[in-house]
């Protein structure tokens, strides 16, 4: 078995040199990341929820910048909270607290 790597108890190959380990049921997931971050369809869904019927083409870039700045502000407050508490994991309560700090209290989350 020279050069084939290690085998686990279930007989699946495990290589210690590379990060591509084939142990377990899950594999690599192919995720498509848009270069713009927020897609046109997602902006359209948000606008539909707000009651808009038609959206100008120039509104998409403006919506992207506004949404990006909003998320940046919320994540900055969340990061500050995590530094104060000494944790590395973000919880839903941390996001809710950051929104409350900005004056945007969210009640619908259980």
């Amino acid at each position: 078995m020279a050069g084939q790597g290690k085998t686990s108890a279930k007989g699946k190959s495990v290589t210690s040199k590379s990060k591509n380990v084939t142990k377990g049921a899950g594999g690599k997931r192919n995720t498509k990341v848009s270069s713009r971050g927020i897609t046109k369809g997602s902006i359209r869904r948000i606008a539909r929820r707000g009651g808009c019927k038609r959206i100008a083409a120039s509104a998409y870039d403006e919506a992207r910048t506004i949404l990006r700045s909003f998320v940046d502000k919320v994540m900055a407050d969340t990061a500050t909270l995590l530094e104060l508490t000494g944790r590395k994991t973000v919880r839903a309560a941390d996001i809710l607290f950051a929104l409350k700090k900005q004056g945007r209290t969210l009640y619908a989350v259980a």
Side-chain angles (χ1 to χ4, degrees):
M1 288 199 154
Q4 291 184 354
K6 300 176 184 177
T7 58
S8 64
K10 294 183 179 179
K12 297 190 180 200
S13 64
V14 177
T15 58
S16 60
K17 292 181 182 178
S18 68
K19 291 185 177 182
N20 190 7
V21 180
T22 59
K23 183 178 180 182
K28 281 190 172 182
R29 293 185 180 163
N30 294 326
T31 57
K32 182 178 178 183
V33 178
S34 174
S35 62
R36 293 182 177 174
I38 301 169
T39 63
K40 182 178 175 180
S42 62
I43 295 170
R44 186 177 294 270
R45 280 189 294 274
I46 293 169
R48 292 281 191 268
R49 184 173 282 193
C52 294
K53 290 184 179 180
R54 297 180 71 186
I55 305 165
S58 60
Y60 293 107
D61 290 331
E62 187 67 26
R64 279 187 191 96
T65 57
I66 291 170
L67 286 169
R68 181 71 181 178
S69 65
F70 174 76
V71 170
D72 286 342
K73 289 177 188 175
V74 172
M75 292 313 297
D77 288 341
T78 305
T80 304
L81 178 68
L82 289 178
E83 287 178 8
L84 290 173
T85 57
R87 291 186 286 121
K88 294 181 181 179
T89 304
V90 178
R91 298 178 183 163
D94 300 332
I95 303 292
L96 293 176
F97 186 77
L99 287 171
K100 186 185 290 186
K101 182 179 179 243
Q102 292 181 1
R104 300 178 182 268
T105 306
L106 188 65
Y107 294 109
V109 178

